[in-house]
Amino acid sequence: MSELDFNETSFWSTVRKFGAKVPFAEDAIAMYYALRDSSTSLRDKAFIVGALAYWIDPFDLVPDFIVAAGQLDDWTVIVAALARVRRSVTSAHRAKARAVLGLPEPTKEQS
């Protein structure tokens, strides 16, 4: 990607490539569903777009082809954005994210 580009094709390609490998995949996918939710504020959508676009850009601050470190900066951006938009990311968005990743619903002890 020569310029910052966020679209569904790029996002889902990144999910397929890294989803099982990064600890923040559920958060990123849940944020994606919040982005598509009409009840999410425009301000929160802007934070989400910025964070997700950073994740899918392979040539960011630390390029993704550098093993381990390449996803560390992406994790930092996702976590920071999630802290800002946490109220917009609902349990329904998280459930959809877990379904995409094939993860079980959390038990009461986990939540």
Side-chain angles (χ1 to χ4, degrees):
M1 252 179 249
S2 60
E3 58 186 64
L4 195 59
D5 180 28
F6 179 78
N7 61 53
E8 288 194 32
T9 303
S10 299
F11 175 76
W12 291 114
S13 175
T14 301
V15 168
R16 282 190 302 278
K17 185 174 183 179
F18 295 110
K21 300 175 187 173
V22 296
F24 58 86
E26 181 183 333
D27 293 330
I29 297 167
M31 287 171 50
Y32 169 83
Y33 285 117
L35 173 66
R36 298 295 180 220
D37 190 330
S38 62
S39 66
T40 302
S41 72
L42 288 177
R43 174 179 250 162
D44 284 358
K45 286 182 178 191
F47 276 98
I48 293 168
V49 165
L52 296 181
Y54 189 87
W55 183 37
I56 66 176
D57 185 4
F59 299 105
D60 50 30
L61 185 61
V62 181
D64 292 340
F65 59 82
I66 298 174
V67 178
Q71 291 292 321
L72 184 60
D73 63 319
D74 298 336
W75 174 77
T76 303
V77 170
I78 294 293
V79 168
L82 183 61
R84 172 60 182 85
V85 303
R86 184 164 302 280
R87 292 182 186 208
S88 291
V89 179
T90 67
S91 58
H93 301 140
R94 289 201 169 278
K96 287 180 181 181
R98 283 191 295 275
V100 166
L101 295 168
L103 299 174
E105 288 296 315
T107 62
K108 287 189 176 192
E109 296 85 40
Q110 292 174 328
S111 51

